[in-house]
Amino acid sequence: MAAAKPESILRRNRPGCKASEFYDWPDEDIEQMESTLSVQQFIQQSIRRDTLDVDAMIMIPASQEEGVWKYEHLRQFCLELNDLTVLLQDECLPATCTKMMATDDWVFLCAAHKQPKECPAIDYTRHTLDGAAQLLNSNKYFPSRVTIKDSAVAKLGSICRRVYRIFAHAFFHHRHIFDQFEMETALCLRFTKFVKLYLLMTEDNLLVPQHQLETLVQQALAARLQSHPTTGAASAATAAAAAPADTAQHQDQPEPEEPEQQDSSQNANSGPDSLQNADAGDDSAGVLATGDEDVAQV
């Protein structure tokens, strides 16, 4: 007698289903995912399981290629940053935020132009996310989402530095919007831990204090515990158990040197891929040690 086949699960949101029924299916192990987008699906599955369990989200499965893991996470960060941008656009106006700043000490120049120049903060945000999306979807640099060349992975650090400035501006200049968003998503904490774990940014470039981000997440967990005692307690226990995870991996690896790139003025006609050319590194006035020509100290 033939053995019964296991019942297949159709992971699909049916037309007309209720909001409470969205993604209402069991989690799937990444090894069982057969799609070429399995890494993206696994990351989004982890986010749906618990948006505040950031340490579990960023730890790479043993079988996965690190370059693809970094790439897919950065795509996801950019997707979610669009939600923060929507919240900012009603308050972060060109008339009030005339420059992209974090505190009153740093001005960021927009790299979406032929020569980096000042932009209103909301325009800088849109230009940066548009440029990141164009580069991450470039067939020239990322023709596959299954395997990625080291030369393409090297460009991810530049994107990370630019999109992080959106967090920094929101934290220092639109704090109430930032706090509300962070307590719901823990996105900045996840991003901070991710870039530190995989050596995509240095500590000097991380302007938002991590302990304040962790405090916001703890407040969100406490609020969840009050409204949903069972699930809240489980989430709090998971977060506490995974707290040191951001230093457990790659801690003995030296920090990579940033690749030398051509001056952005030599690549003025690069079109959608102009973002990767903004990290030219000379010793001109106002350039930070990071090699960013689009960062100036006031």
Side-chain angles (χ1 to χ4, degrees):
M1 182 176 179
K5 293 182 179 180
E7 182 180 355
S8 61
I9 299 174
L10 185 61
R11 291 175 166 81
R12 182 178 302 168
N13 293 313
R14 298 287 189 178
C17 67
K18 300 177 180 178
S20 60
E21 297 172 347
F22 260 55
Y23 308 109
D24 187 20
W25 51 69
D27 287 349
E28 186 177 20
D29 189 88
I30 193 170
E31 303 298 336
Q32 298 175 337
M33 297 179 179
E34 299 177 352
S35 169
T36 56
L37 306 179
S38 59
V39 178
Q40 180 189 45
Q41 293 172 354
F42 183 76
I43 292 170
Q44 292 179 350
Q45 174 180 277
S46 300
I47 294 171
R48 290 194 300 269
R49 185 188 307 123
D50 188 352
T51 57
L52 303 182
D53 190 7
V54 297
D55 294 301
M57 294 179 206
I58 65 176
M59 296 306 297
I60 183 171
S63 61
Q64 293 306 304
E65 180 182 318
E66 186 170 305
V68 175
W69 185 251
K70 293 177 181 178
Y71 170 77
E72 291 292 350
H73 264 284
L74 189 49
R75 286 178 63 100
Q76 183 64 33
F77 286 130
C78 290
L79 283 172
E80 294 183 70
L81 267 170
N82 281 283
D83 295 332
L84 177 58
T85 304
V86 171
L87 296 175
L88 289 173
Q89 65 185 1
D90 290 334
E91 179 180 301
C92 185
L93 304 174
T96 55
C97 296
T98 58
K99 301 176 183 179
M100 185 59 164
M101 302 183 70
T103 74
D104 294 325
D105 297 327
W106 303 105
V107 175
F108 303 119
L109 307 182
C110 184
H113 309 275
K114 290 184 178 181
Q115 293 290 339
K117 67 177 185 178
E118 291 181 2
C119 260
I122 194 64
D123 291 341
Y124 181 103
T125 298
R126 293 168 180 150
H127 294 166
T128 298
L129 289 176
D130 286 346
Q134 289 172 334
L135 181 55
L136 292 171
N137 286 289
S138 168
N139 286 328
K140 177 181 178 181
Y141 297 104
F142 303 101
S144 170
R145 293 176 68 172
V146 177
T147 182
I148 296 177
K149 295 180 180 179
D150 290 341
S151 59
V153 174
K155 300 184 182 300
L156 300 181
S158 174
I159 304 176
C160 287
R161 285 193 298 277
R162 275 163 183 76
V163 299
Y164 179 79
R165 295 165 191 167
I166 302 172
F167 289 121
H169 177 76
F171 179 84
F172 289 106
H173 298 279
H174 307 282
R175 186 62 185 271
H176 61 289
I177 294 177
F178 178 91
D179 286 358
Q180 176 187 355
F181 182 78
E182 187 67 9
M183 290 180 69
E184 293 175 359
T185 66
L187 186 62
C188 188
L189 179 60
R190 191 197 329 156
F191 187 95
T192 301
K193 289 193 171 189
F194 182 81
V195 296
K196 288 171 64 176
L197 179 61
Y198 296 103
L199 305 178
L200 292 169
M201 288 179 63
T202 63
E203 288 277 0
D204 292 341
N205 287 324
L206 297 172
L207 304 178
V208 180
Q210 183 173 328
H211 71 274
Q212 294 193 34
L213 299 175
E214 291 171 341
T215 298
L216 289 173
V217 172
Q218 290 300 323
Q219 290 174 357
L221 286 170
R224 180 190 294 178
L225 184 60
Q226 285 186 335
S227 57
H228 304 285
T230 304
T231 57
S235 299
T238 302
D246 62 334
T247 58
Q249 191 174 358
H250 303 285
Q251 59 184 358
D252 58 346
Q253 295 186 13
E255 188 168 307
E257 296 183 0
E258 297 207 5
E260 294 184 0
Q261 298 186 8
Q262 295 179 343
D263 190 288
S264 58
S265 62
Q266 298 175 3
N267 297 282
N269 297 320
S270 58
D273 300 321
S274 61
L275 185 65
Q276 81 272 10
N277 296 317
D279 276 339
D282 64 15
D283 296 325
S284 58
V287 179
L288 296 182
T290 56
D292 284 336
E293 284 190 341
D294 58 343
V295 185
Q297 189 170 14
V298 178

